[in-house]
Amino acid sequence: GTGTDTGGIQNRLGVLFFMLLYLSLMALSSLPIWRDERLLFLRERDSGAYGTPAYFLAVVLFDLLPLRVIPPTFFVLFPYPIIGLHPSCGPCILWFLLILIAANITAATMCMAIGAAAPSNSVANMIGSLMLMLLMLMGGFLLNKERVPVYCRWLSGISFFNYAYEALVVNEFHNFPADFFFTAPIDTSILPPLRITGDGVLQEFGFKQENFLWDVSLLMCLGAGCCGLAYVLLHGSEAQGSGPEGGGAWGRLRRAAAVVGHQAASL
């Protein structure tokens, strides 16, 4: 098992963050999801083959169900019991799975929104990677939650890492069936280990068990908000028209330039 000493506490905190980080980085695959078939989508939509809602729903479901639900399930089936996370707690396992799925979906929908707004895949990759790194920094593992500078706390408020990681940690340590031991870095025969409960570990690292349901709710709200933003941005592409020339002012300018060039060439 992971253990209940200082090393065990560190291992539990680290493995929860690693799982969350791994699934979030996997979500970067959603960045080019709109860009790869953009021209085909615009042409088929303008020809009346289907509308934006149908296309959006099909793409989102195809991305979320196999790529954002199945991987967290494997974390529950295999690593969870092997690592020795919260034992003998059926609801904890279900909450663990729900939080990982919600965090993975939120990261994916955020990347979808960035991909829909970015002008190219390279720009989307740059912005998406930067956003994930900033939100990860405010997640509560690399930077103590109580030591976040005042001018950066707004980032914690929009960081899905912050809510997902606190919910995972509370789910792991709250009502843990055994006590934990903080061991001194020197001879323990002089300073005996400090025995504390799982709730004491949460308090020591700045996590609050009363925020659990609030964290899960906000995590889901962020996911829904990012999904709605992605749809609005995709629907807004109607203003750009179909075909490689695009529409709107930029498309009209390009077509006008092409006409002028054609007339000049015919002179």
Side-chain angles (χ1 to χ4, degrees), residues 80-134:
Y80 192 96
I82 294 175
I83 296 172
L85 298 177
H86 203 139
S88 305
C89 181
C92 294
I93 298 177
L94 296 178
W95 278 115
F96 178 82
L97 176 60
L98 175 64
I99 295 167
L100 286 184
I101 291 177
N104 201 9
I105 289 177
T106 302
T109 52
M110 183 192 75
C111 290
M112 288 180 184
I114 293 174
S120 65
N121 286 338
S122 58
V123 174
N125 287 327
M126 180 186 67
I127 297 176
S129 301
L130 178 61
M131 283 294 297
L132 279 182
M133 294 301 105
L134 287 176

Side-chain angles (χ1 to χ4, degrees), residues 56-69:
F56 180 82
L57 182 62
V59 173
V60 168
L61 289 180
F62 181 79
D63 181 83
L64 296 187
L65 290 180
L67 300 179
R68 314 304 164 197
V69 175

Side-chain angles (χ1 to χ4, degrees), residues 245-257:
E245 300 298 335
W250 176 246
R252 289 192 296 271
L253 180 62
R254 293 186 62 178
R255 285 192 292 270

Side-chain angles (χ1 to χ4, degrees), residues 27-43:
L28 290 174
S29 62
S30 296
L31 284 171
I33 198 170
W34 312 117
R35 186 67 51 185
D36 291 342
E37 299 180 352
R38 178 179 179 81
L39 294 180
L40 178 63
F41 159 64
L42 292 175
R43 289 172 179 173

